[in-house]
Amino acid sequence: QTGMFTYDPGFLSTAACQSAITYIDGDKGELLYRGYPIEQLATNCDYLETCHLLLYGELPDAAQKKDFVSRVTNHTMVNEQMQFFLRGFRRDAHPMAIMTGLVGALSAFYHDSTDINNPAHRDIAAIRLIAKMPTLVAMAYKYTIGQPYMYPRNDLSYSGNFLHMMFATPCEEYKVNPVLERALDRIFILHADHEQNASTSTVRLCGSSGTNPFAAIAAGVACLWGPAHGGANEAALNMLGDIQKNGGIENIGEFIKQVKDKNSTVKLMGFGHRVYKNYDPRAKLMQETCKEVLHEMGLENDPLFKLAMALEKIALEDDYFVSRKLYPNVDFYSGIVQRAIGIPVPLFTAVFALARNVGWMAQLNEMIGDPEYKIGRPRQLFVGSVPREVKPMAER
Ligand code: SDX
């Protein structure tokens, strides 16, 4: 019994850690950040308020918010040297390959001044990472399309600044659309943390060695890239595109048949979850955001959105998915809404990493801040060979 939450002893024996940050009830489809339901945060707060909540445990009051926003805003530029790291990549490099490199490269500028055991140092590292991730993602994008980087602007909101760095050029101003700005901010909130998922566990394990937070976050970026995890939003959109190319809604039956085929490895990307065995609450909010953005962009008849809704309807009624408790997860609609905002498909997971960075940092902080923590050392069940003697080469 921990507070209002009860766990069966079997679960406790598998728990990787104790945390007070995010609570998920997979059977009920509930997600709470520091006790606040995700639905209320996504409706009543913005991303930087949510960052304050995840990092410090409380939503900020007006003065605290003003101070937090000012600290983040004043760290959005990156060292001018950072641009030279990008030149080592091919122009067609995947943005997540670039991001893994760039976030790790931040260590080169700050690790020697970051004592991971000093809470003040961890706090400035969190602020720097929250502030610089949008700048780095936008630089990765501009590099792949051969356009000059756009500097951050202190007069714009966090998500507005990201949109501006992504889509403005020195020759043409980009006017931030408030509907897109709010939608992107909500996407950041929905992706901010998710208890001990694969990339967060990677950051905890990596950080437990005492390495600097930039290196630990870079490990999280690398893990998130996988299609079974954060890469699923890109994979889900590519899947919808393939179905669309092969007959669209009329062809869904054929696709579902492939998914069900025992010998096929085809999965319904954006469906299923290690914990949610009910509807992912983030997916519902993402679908609403999708409708708002598609309406704003005059894309109500977007074929991929219609295809996604049709696919979801079929899956929610089909025994194969229902019996396996496979429901849409956060990644199912996030690709469609990002594409409607104008974010290119290869950037989707980098946007996920941008948003999840604060969750990684909050979880790393919580672990390092616990005086009992030690370096992580997952155990194994050895199923290999019994001890044996080495034979001389002639007898092998
Ligand atoms: C994220 O952990 C987190 O919190 C992650 C995340 C976060 O915020 O950090 O929520 C973000 O990663 C969301 C998940 C994104 N991934 C995808 O959408 C990829 C597609 N989903 C699958 O790869 C899968 O659902 C997982 C990996 C997400 C979850 O797998 P599980 O819970 O371990 O389920 P499983 O692999 O044991 O599958 C159980 C059954 C199997 O069939 P059987 O062997 O029983 O016949 O369900 C089938 C699976 O084949 N199955 C699917 C399926 N997912 C599971 N079949 C078709 N399509 C799918 N998507």
Side-chain angles (χ1 to χ4, degrees):
Q1 182 83 15
T2 59
M4 64 176 272
F5 306 108
T6 53
Y7 292 110
D8 65 70
F11 173 85
L12 287 178
S13 64
T14 63
C17 66
Q18 191 168 301
S19 176
I21 299 173
T22 293
Y23 175 74
I24 298 173
D25 184 320
D27 294 328
K28 293 187 195 151
E30 284 176 2
L31 169 58
L32 309 177
Y33 290 168
R34 300 283 192 181
Y36 291 102
I38 191 70
E39 295 82 357
Q40 293 186 32
L41 293 170
T43 312
N44 303 304
C45 300
D46 66 24
Y47 177 67
L48 288 186
E49 288 172 64
T50 308
C51 288
H52 188 284
L53 172 67
L54 288 168
L55 285 174
Y56 309 124
E58 295 298 337
L59 284 169
D61 62 25
Q64 289 163 333
K65 178 175 179 178
K66 190 162 174 283
D67 173 59
F68 187 76
V69 170
S70 151
R71 293 178 69 211
V72 170
T73 303
N74 288 300
H75 283 90
T76 48
M77 277 207 293
V78 294
N79 188 299
E80 280 294 282
Q81 288 293 101
M82 284 295 285
Q83 63 185 299
F84 302 119
F85 283 107
L86 283 126
R87 293 184 186 172
F89 291 102
R90 290 178 10 180
R91 288 281 179 180
D92 63 352
H94 193 287
M96 284 300 275
I98 299 176
M99 283 305 293
T100 306
L102 290 183
V103 176
L106 286 177
S107 312
F109 296 92
Y110 305 115
H111 88 283
D112 52 359
S113 60
T114 306
D115 165 8
I116 188 76
N117 296 305
N118 179 334
H121 287 199
R122 291 201 303 272
D123 188 49
I124 186 59
I127 295 289
R128 279 183 165 133
L129 278 157
I130 293 168
K132 296 177 193 316
M133 284 296 268
T135 311
L136 295 176
V137 173
M139 287 175 77
Y141 173 54
K142 289 295 198 187
Y143 181 76
T144 59
I145 59 172
Q147 281 189 3
Y149 308 126
M150 294 304 292
Y151 282 97
R153 274 191 22 195
N154 292 0
D155 61 319
L156 297 175
S157 72
Y158 188 82
S159 33
N161 191 27
F162 176 64
L163 288 170
H164 185 266
M165 290 188 286
M166 284 282 291
F167 302 123
T169 70
C171 332
E172 194 174 358
E173 198 28 56
Y174 170 83
K175 189 153 173 25
V176 177
N177 175 325
V179 174
L180 303 192
E181 182 181 22
R182 177 68 196 133
L184 192 61
D185 205 70
R186 180 183 276 196
I187 289 172
F188 292 162
I189 291 171
L190 295 178
H191 286 88
D193 192 51
H194 214 238
E195 56 126 287
Q196 306 314 314
N197 57 83
S199 52
T200 298
S201 305
T202 300
V203 169
R204 277 182 173 255
L205 191 54
C206 184
S208 73
S209 72
T211 189
N212 71 80
F214 306 97
I217 298 297
V221 174
C223 175
L224 187 74
W225 189 3
H229 189 13
N233 50 22
E234 176 178 357
L237 202 90
N238 291 336
M239 171 192 76
L240 291 169
D242 289 347
I243 299 172
Q244 188 61 21
K245 268 196 292 250
N246 296 298
I249 288 187
E250 290 65 50
N251 176 47
I252 286 186
E254 207 34 55
F255 175 73
I256 296 283
K257 225 187 280 174
Q258 282 178 46
V259 171
K260 289 181 183 175
D261 176 353
K262 266 266 170 256
N263 304 319
S264 125
T265 55
V266 174
K267 286 202 183 288
L268 187 48
M269 298 312 280
F271 266 70
H273 199 275
R274 291 310 309 270
V275 176
Y276 288 123
K277 299 307 173 191
N278 193 325
Y279 209 97
D280 181 337
R282 301 169 297 176
K284 272 196 193 92
L285 292 159
M286 196 64 83
Q287 190 193 81
E288 282 166 25
T289 304
C290 213
K291 286 178 182 165
E292 285 164 20
V293 171
L294 290 171
H295 175 71
E296 175 68 17
M297 304 304 281
L299 295 169
E300 288 92 336
N301 295 318
D302 177 59
L304 292 194
F305 182 65
K306 287 190 170 309
L307 184 58
M309 298 277 277
L311 210 44
E312 176 185 333
K313 186 172 180 317
I314 291 172
L316 294 182
E317 291 158 7
D318 184 301
D319 184 54
Y320 174 92
F321 299 97
V322 174
S323 63
R324 290 168 176 79
K325 300 186 175 182
L326 300 177
Y327 297 92
N329 58 49
V330 67
D331 293 304
F332 189 56
Y333 289 103
S334 76
I336 301 171
V337 58
Q338 290 189 62
R339 184 176 65 99
I341 290 174
I343 296 169
V345 176
L347 265 292
F348 290 173
T349 310
V351 168
F352 193 153
L354 183 168
R356 181 54 57 87
N357 159 66
V358 67
W360 290 332
M361 267 314 296
Q363 299 269 353
L364 181 62
N365 254 341
E366 179 179 66
M367 176 186 75
I368 305 273
D370 172 359
E372 301 296 312
Y373 103 92
K374 290 185 173 51
I375 185 166
R377 185 65 177 81
R379 298 314 309 273
Q380 68 169 15
L381 199 62
F382 182 72
V383 292
S385 168
V386 293
R388 49 186 173 159
E389 298 298 313
V390 174
K391 289 197 180 77
M393 183 60 83
E395 293 173 29
R396 282 182 211 165

